Amino acid sequence: MRFLLLFSRQGKLRLQKWFVPTSEREKKKVIRDMIMLVLPRQPRTCNFLQWKDLKIVYKRYASLYFCAGLEEHDNELLALEVLHRYVELLDKYFGNVCELDIIFNFEKAYFILDEFLMGGEVLETSKFAVNVSMEQADTLQESFKVSYH
Amino acid sequence: MSPSVPLQEMIRAIRSARTQCEERGVIQRECAAIRAQFRQTDNGGRSHNLAKLLYVHMLGYPAHFGQMECVRMIASPRYSEKRVGYLGAMMLLDEKQDASLLITNSIKNDLSHSNQYVQSLALCTLACMGSAEMCRDLAPEIDRLLRSSNSYIKKKAALCAVHIVRKVHELGELFVPSARSLLSEKNHGVLHGAVVLITELCERSPETLERFRKAVPDLVQIMKGLVISGYSPDHDVAGVSDPFLQVRILRLLRILGRNNEAASDAMNDLLAQVATNTDSTKTVGNAVLYETVLSVLDIKSESGLRVLAVNILGRFLLNNDRNIRYIAMTSLQKIVSTDHNAVQRHRGTIVDCLKDQDASVKRRALELSLALVSASNIRSMMKELLIFLSSCPPELRAHAASGIFNAAERYAPSKRWHIDTILHVLTTAGGDVRDETVPNLIQLITNTSELHCYTVHKLYRALLTDISQQPLVQVACWCIGEYGDLLLKGECQETEAVQVTEDDVLDALEIVLQSHMSTPTTRGFALTATMKLSTRITDNVDRIRSIVSIYGSCIDVELQQRAVEYNALFKKYDHMRAAVLERMPVIQKNSLGQTNGELSEEPIKESQPGKVKQEEMALPQQPAGQVCDLLDLLGGSQEPLQPSSSVGGSASAQLTAAPASAGGDLLDLLGGFEPTPLVPAPTVTVYEKNGVTLTLICERQSESGLTVTLTASNSTDSDISSFTLQAAVPKSVQLQMRAPSRDSLPAHGGAKLTQLVVLNNPNKVNLKMRIRVSYTCQGSVVQDTVQVDSFPGL
């Protein structure tokens, strides 16, 4: 996986994760292109697109589009499962996640993503393990805070 | 200094801004506050400030002043600050920034931290933005972590190692032993990481690939365990146990089994088992099946397994889910060249997908359909493709049109079908075809002489309906110009007869000329066609003359030049007009390749009148002495003979495509030219001496005009050079000598020389001709004269 983007139906970016080094200009261009490619798509059309040399997989969950850029040898159907798993993890963590949760707690969304994917590959395949790690890390964060205040 | 606003309040403030301007204002204030906060040494809210900055960055605003703060935060002992600091590093720093080097040391320290979550932060950041130097620096540390007893750390270290190998290929060697031992792990996360790492190592180095082939049985064992194991709530996804791991193992098996019989055999049973047992009702099962099919098709699997795989793809094609159909076609595309027959069996379904609403599916179906066209199914496939072309989305039109042309060219069952197909494409998608279509089509048409009548009728009708498709209009104009006489004749075997008058045709061409939709190139075609018609129609030549003269003052330079030259053809060179505007010869395919196709014919026509003007000025005069010589020889004949001026004729000779025309470029272009078939005229040998033979063919062209073709050949042992012919005729006869085809005669009849003489005998006097032959042979100049009194064929 080269990148993972989350953007709203109005085209506002909510999360961006780049798994290969990309310049700021490149990033902006890719984001613009993805938004232009994905937003006009009709519902119930194919979730796969071809863009330059990448396969683009996208899925809409409520008001958010999850969009991933895959390389030639990546499995598109599995990528759909990856996106779905990420949504499940967010849902478990935030409890019935909605777009606002991701806006106001964006750093948590990143932390969860970092427990699930790394370097563009799946890191942990178990649903529970990711949430357990997140809880423990959060506890650690709180305990540190307490001890210094 | 405004107190720092916690993150969520700031986000609320930004979101409540009603205009872009207001938002910018809020953000500017916040950024100023954040910068001020950064300058302070230590306070509890540091992580909040950086988080705020990261949010602002995500909105698209510049945040580079936060880079140093990231570095500081990473070095902090507090976990909360480290966490945000590392996040900031991943978002704001990349290997090109100088600040990224500064965090290397922090990462190194944190990799050996006592707390695994701190370690994981460092691993994650390294895997995200580690530069090549950082990777080289920290690789041994990562390897150490791969051997730790902590699964959480091991799995992260494995993927971090993957990143290192991608950045610095040589370091792969370092990780091979640990990777191998990780395969015996039970923890799925670690196992998954191990498989990914091994895949990466094998893809980079063939030696490593060889070593890991021995691990195939282990991998097969792990897969079997996953497939037949009972329900495990932790890893189950809709009935499939850990699909992520399954897919990665299948991919690794594919790489290991490629081009290797032994490894492929070892995994054969497993693949068959996965292919048959996996539940294909949900996407996740299909994801595993998809990977299995890809693996089966890529390794040296036995034929039964291959058939099974292609059948799975066939089932996918019938699936209601568009995604499944899409990937089925993608996979079939990969094997269409190797397993062509297997894919052909599903041709019907694939062609149906052409009608799908979804553009992605349509594109895949188009590619696959074009690949499946063969001699046996060309007619039915073409029908479907043409239907598709009329309703396909614009971005696919060009591709579809060129694909159809290729298919038509390779498998056309008949010429007429071929021409019909191309015309159909031009009418539906004419705007999207490539430029070389026009010359290719014209070449095809000229080659199909039996269908000239049919073609020109069809094109004329198409022209009447629609003149917006430029390639079609260009071809139509060209054909009408060339075969206008066939169009006017009215009858045609292949299509219903339509009475077309000369005015209709000229009207059509004029509409094209005047339409604002016509490009300059198309106008050029139309003008030339109009001009050509001047020799093919009888009544409306004046109309053509007026059209042509109008364009003599056209703004477009190209059109103006043509019009002026055609005007000249009408005025000064009217006698040459017929010859200039003769039927074009059949275009040879290879000459098209050399000379840029259709376009070359036009410039030749244009340069011809131009050359006339040049040549006339550059006429070298015959030394007067020689001419008088000829006359003296004749002495007491009744009618003084008119000296010829072979040079005067040579200029005009440049013009036509006559067989004896000037050599060089013209002959190359019109390579296979055959003179218009005439009643074969008798050849008379008029001179034969010293091995030099001169023959004569006389043909009547019109009431008073005739052409005489002189052919010379050399049967001696030595080459002859500077061979020239001069001719003299009675005074009332007009004579023009065209330029000879060559001026040398190689020995042993290696090549013949031909020269055309055009005569006009309005008074119908008794025709005589005196011919003087002069040449150089073996260093000496030879001259001879012969008189021809009778011309057979007259």
Side-chain angles (χ1 to χ4, degrees):
Chain A
M1 201 182 291
R2 293 254 184 104
F3 58 82
L4 176 64
L5 302 174
L6 264 70
F7 46 86
S8 72
R9 300 246 297 142
Q10 286 78 41
K12 286 199 115 81
L13 192 67
R14 297 297 175 211
L15 187 145
Q16 53 173 323
K17 189 75 186 176
W18 303 89
F19 298 112
V20 292
T22 331
S23 70
E24 278 296 327
R25 269 185 62 200
E26 255 309 294
K27 284 184 195 173
K28 283 198 161 61
K29 183 171 187 314
V30 173
I31 293 169
R32 239 193 350 258
D33 285 349
M34 287 303 111
I35 292 177
M36 282 203 305
L37 266 182
V38 171
L39 283 182
R41 295 280 286 181
Q42 300 294 327
R44 275 180 289 116
T45 52
C46 191
N47 292 98
F48 309 133
L49 297 165
Q50 190 72 25
W51 180 77
K52 296 197 186 166
D53 63 326
L54 294 179
K55 301 195 262 202
I56 307 295
V57 177
Y58 75 94
K59 191 119 202 273
R60 186 178 144 205
Y61 288 92
S63 57
L64 271 182
Y65 282 94
F66 287 67
C67 176
L70 306 177
E71 288 171 344
E72 183 58 39
H73 46 67
D74 287 326
N75 185 325
E76 297 99 311
L77 292 174
L78 196 70
L80 277 176
E81 289 301 312
V82 167
L83 292 178
H84 190 75
R85 172 63 69 87
Y86 182 49
V87 173
E88 281 178 343
L89 293 170
L90 288 171
D91 196 48
K92 192 83 198 294
Y93 182 81
F94 288 109
N96 229 351
V97 70
C98 64
E99 189 183 344
L100 285 175
D101 289 321
I102 300 182
I103 294 171
F104 282 96
N105 301 288
F106 70 96
E107 79 275 20
K108 298 277 165 58
Y110 276 100
F111 296 148
I112 296 174
L113 187 61
D114 287 336
E115 289 295 320
F116 176 45
L117 299 176
M118 195 201 262
E121 309 287 346
V122 171
L123 173 61
E124 178 56 67
T125 58
S126 151
K127 285 185 257 205
F128 308 138
V130 174
N131 287 106
V132 165
S133 318
M134 275 305 289
E135 277 168 35
Q136 292 186 342
D138 285 343
T139 322
L140 186 62
Q141 181 165 326
E142 289 307 310
S143 71
F144 257 123
K145 252 201 213 141
V146 166
S147 71
Y148 269 84
H149 285 261
Chain B
M1 213 157 298
S2 56
S4 72
V5 179
L7 171 63
Q8 302 201 346
E9 281 185 36
M10 182 197 81
I11 295 178
R12 220 163 279 138
I14 293 175
R15 281 170 62 80
S16 60
R18 268 159 298 153
T19 65
Q20 185 79 345
C21 191
E22 231 181 286
E23 183 184 285
R24 265 201 298 273
V26 173
I27 288 179
Q28 266 179 343
R29 273 198 308 277
E30 285 300 329
C31 284
I34 293 170
R35 260 191 289 243
Q37 294 288 329
F38 284 171
R39 281 196 287 270
Q40 289 184 350
T41 41
D42 188 13
N43 55 33
R46 268 171 79 186
S47 53
H48 287 295
N49 285 321
L50 188 55
K52 275 192 260 179
L53 184 61
L54 294 177
Y55 183 81
V56 164
H57 171 75
M58 192 153 61
L59 289 178
Y61 294 91
H64 42 269
F65 56 87
Q67 285 175 9
M68 283 314 292
E69 186 65 11
C70 292
V71 176
R72 274 194 291 267
M73 299 270 280
I74 289 172
S76 150
R78 283 181 226 163
Y79 179 68
S80 60
E81 288 176 2
K82 269 198 205 291
R83 221 180 181 190
V84 182
Y86 274 116
L87 178 63
M90 284 192 275
M91 284 178 75
L92 299 179
L93 295 175
D94 58 40
E95 53 188 35
K96 297 194 193 74
Q97 313 286 349
D98 297 324
S100 64
L101 287 174
L102 299 172
I103 64 174
T104 314
N105 212 34
S106 301
I107 293 182
K108 199 179 201 152
N109 292 336
D110 285 338
L111 280 177
S112 353
H113 202 276
S114 51
N115 188 305
Q116 66 177 18
Y117 293 104
V118 176
Q119 281 179 304
S120 96
L121 285 177
L123 283 167
C124 190
T125 309
L126 183 61
C128 179
M129 43 77 72
S131 65
E133 292 88 54
M134 288 163 76
C135 291
R136 259 188 271 265
D137 218 358
L138 299 167
E141 191 59 27
I142 303 301
D143 192 47
R144 193 180 62 81
L145 290 172
L146 275 176
R147 292 173 223 274
S148 98
S149 52
N150 183 334
S151 306
Y152 182 76
I153 292 300
K154 267 194 283 204
K155 76 182 183 203
K156 299 213 171 191
L159 287 184
C160 194
V162 169
H163 173 84
I164 292 177
V165 171
R166 284 181 187 157
K167 270 280 181 230
V168 186
H169 305 329
E170 305 83 56
L171 289 172
E173 267 303 311
L174 178 63
F175 296 118
V176 170
S178 351
R180 184 72 183 82
S181 57
L182 283 177
L183 272 185
S184 40
E185 286 285 324
K186 292 284 166 249
N187 179 303
H188 282 222
V190 181
L191 208 44
H192 187 277
V195 172
V196 176
L197 179 56
I198 296 173
T199 312
E200 195 66 36
L201 292 170
C202 291
E203 274 174 348
R204 305 250 169 221
S205 148
E207 299 91 47
T208 323
L209 181 66
E210 278 300 323
R211 283 163 72 176
F212 276 108
R213 281 229 178 87
K214 300 187 201 99
V216 169
D218 294 330
L219 290 166
V220 169
Q221 208 50 39
I222 299 172
M223 254 320 261
K224 272 211 176 87
L226 287 172
V227 173
I228 59 178
S229 74
Y231 175 77
S232 134
D234 210 10
H235 301 287
D236 180 273
V237 181
V240 180
S241 183
D242 206 341
F244 305 106
L245 183 56
Q246 285 198 30
V247 165
R248 285 317 298 232
I249 293 181
L250 286 167
R251 198 165 123 192
L252 180 55
L253 287 175
R254 176 153 91 239
I255 294 170
L256 295 174
R258 209 179 269 158
N259 293 328
N260 186 294
E261 290 278 349
S264 304
D265 282 336
M267 55 182 85
N268 212 54
D269 290 340
L270 170 72
L271 291 172
Q273 194 176 16
V274 176
T276 36
N277 285 359
T278 309
D279 177 22
S280 58
T281 47
K282 295 265 172 61
T283 309
V284 60
N286 286 324
V288 176
L289 279 175
Y290 176 41
E291 199 70 30
T292 314
V293 165
L294 288 179
S295 295
V296 167
L297 294 173
D298 211 9
I299 63 172
K300 289 194 176 309
S301 48
E302 55 173 42
S303 56
L305 192 54
R306 264 188 117 76
V307 169
L308 180 60
V310 179
N311 285 348
I312 291 179
L313 288 180
R315 259 190 6 242
F316 277 1
L317 270 181
L318 299 165
N319 195 307
N320 281 329
D321 188 340
R322 281 208 174 89
N323 294 336
I324 311 279
R325 268 184 282 159
Y326 179 91
I327 56 137
M329 285 195 278
T330 319
S331 323
L332 286 172
Q333 186 80 36
K334 293 195 187 123
I335 59 164
V336 75
S337 40
T338 46
D339 299 70
H340 191 93
N341 293 331
V343 184
Q344 278 283 5
R345 248 177 274 135
H346 303 286
R347 199 180 74 236
T349 329
I350 294 169
V351 167
D352 281 337
C353 287
L354 280 173
K355 305 187 187 100
D356 195 301
Q357 300 292 337
D358 187 311
S360 309
V361 174
K362 271 194 165 90
R363 180 191 293 270
R364 286 272 161 248
L366 173 65
E367 301 243 6
L368 204 47
S369 305
L370 288 174
L372 286 177
V373 173
S374 75
S376 46
N377 60 29
I378 179 74
R379 281 189 194 266
S380 49
M381 282 299 276
M382 194 51 78
K383 239 189 294 224
E384 297 289 341
L385 286 171
L386 289 173
I387 294 172
F388 172 71
L389 188 64
S390 43
S391 60
C392 87
E395 62 268 12
L396 291 179
R397 274 231 185 95
H399 187 61
S402 59
I404 290 175
F405 283 149
N406 285 339
E409 193 164 318
R410 282 164 67 188
Y411 303 113
S414 77
K415 292 260 184 182
R416 177 174 159 171
W417 182 94
H418 196 173
I419 291 182
D420 279 341
T421 310
I422 297 186
L423 288 180
H424 194 133
V425 174
L426 285 181
T427 40
T428 39
D432 297 295
V433 299
R434 277 203 298 260
D435 294 331
E436 58 259 21
T437 318
V438 172
N440 283 343
L441 178 56
I442 288 177
Q443 191 245 329
L444 180 66
I445 291 175
T446 55
N447 273 320
T448 336
S449 47
E450 65 273 16
L451 289 175
H452 283 166
C453 192
Y454 167 73
T455 315
V456 73
H457 269 94
K458 261 200 110 158
L459 283 170
Y460 176 71
R461 266 199 287 270
L463 195 65
L464 288 179
T465 14
D466 173 24
I467 58 167
S468 58
Q469 309 274 38
Q470 296 304 299
L472 180 65
V473 173
Q474 286 172 7
V475 176
C477 286
W478 193 91
C479 282
I480 291 175
E482 265 303 290
Y483 309 120
D485 46 334
L486 296 174
L487 181 62
L488 293 166
K489 259 205 298 225
E491 26 155 289
C492 182
Q493 302 149 310
E494 314 250 353
T495 157
E496 337 96 58
V498 167
Q499 267 313 102
V500 181
T501 66
E502 295 178 1
D503 274 317
D504 293 335
V505 177
L506 287 174
D507 283 340
L509 287 176
E510 250 193 303
I511 291 174
V512 173
L513 268 174
Q514 291 163 356
S515 161
H516 59 275
M517 286 191 280
S518 304
T519 62
T521 323
T522 312
R523 286 227 182 92
F525 270 86
L527 190 60
T528 308
T530 313
M531 189 59 198
K532 282 193 208 174
L533 283 178
S534 70
T535 50
R536 289 159 175 69
I537 65 176
T538 44
D539 298 329
N540 288 5
V541 184
D542 287 325
R543 182 170 170 190
I544 294 179
R545 223 190 283 253
S546 61
I547 295 175
V548 166
S549 55
I550 289 173
Y551 279 89
S553 39
C554 175
I555 286 181
D556 185 277
V557 178
E558 169 81 14
L559 278 180
Q560 190 186 86
Q561 182 182 359
R562 284 179 196 231
V564 166
E565 286 166 357
Y566 294 153
N567 250 337
L569 209 55
F570 267 121
K571 299 208 175 97
K572 288 206 267 183
Y573 301 100
D574 203 36
H575 49 280
M576 289 177 206
R577 199 157 43 88
V580 173
L581 300 173
E582 255 177 8
R583 262 285 197 275
M584 294 291 279
V586 171
I587 303 171
Q588 296 295 321
K589 222 180 165 94
N590 51 2
S591 62
L592 273 184
Q594 290 163 8
T595 55
N596 202 24
E598 219 286 330
L599 294 170
S600 57
E601 270 99 63
E602 303 302 309
I604 297 290
K605 284 238 156 63
E606 285 152 39
S607 62
Q608 288 152 6
K611 271 201 187 144
V612 173
K613 300 179 191 107
Q614 290 158 17
E615 292 287 4
E616 284 194 343
M617 289 181 261
L619 281 187
Q621 290 302 320
Q622 283 266 336
Q626 280 187 315
V627 174
C628 295
D629 227 4
L630 203 60
L631 284 177
D632 282 348
L633 282 173
L634 291 175
S637 65
Q638 294 111 326
E639 303 207 39
L641 296 179
Q642 217 185 25
S644 76
S645 171
S646 69
V647 188
S650 67
S652 49
Q654 304 285 9
L655 295 173
T656 62
S661 63
D665 307 3
L666 280 176
L667 271 187
D668 279 349
L669 178 64
L670 306 168
F673 179 65
E674 253 82 58
T676 45
L678 301 169
V679 176
T683 317
V684 180
T685 308
V686 297
Y687 173 87
E688 201 162 8
K689 215 179 197 183
N690 298 336
V692 177
T693 316
L694 188 66
T695 61
L696 182 151
I697 301 173
C698 181
E699 289 157 351
R700 179 166 287 288
Q701 299 294 351
S702 67
E703 256 305 79
S704 60
L706 48 111
T707 56
V708 172
T709 311
L710 298 165
T711 313
S713 62
N714 168 19
S715 57
T716 65
D717 288 351
S718 43
D719 295 349
I720 284 176
S721 59
S722 316
F723 190 95
T724 47
L725 292 167
Q726 290 167 306
V729 288
K731 210 177 194 169
S732 59
V733 179
Q734 292 151 13
L735 176 145
Q736 267 174 21
M737 281 190 87
R738 299 290 158 84
S741 63
R742 46 191 305 124
D743 67 346
S744 66
L745 287 172
H748 307 293
K752 284 198 167 59
L753 179 155
T754 46
Q755 188 158 11
L756 187 72
V757 183
V758 179
L759 300 169
N760 193 19
N761 188 4
N763 297 349
K764 304 238 196 311
V765 301
N766 198 17
L767 191 62
K768 293 183 215 290
M769 186 189 280
R770 183 166 296 179
I771 304 171
R772 172 181 277 166
V773 174
S774 64
Y775 58 87
T776 308
C777 183
Q778 288 175 326
S780 53
V781 179
V782 177
Q783 268 189 3
D784 212 342
T785 319
V786 60
Q787 178 141 337
V788 184
D789 293 314
S790 70
F791 292 80
L794 259 187

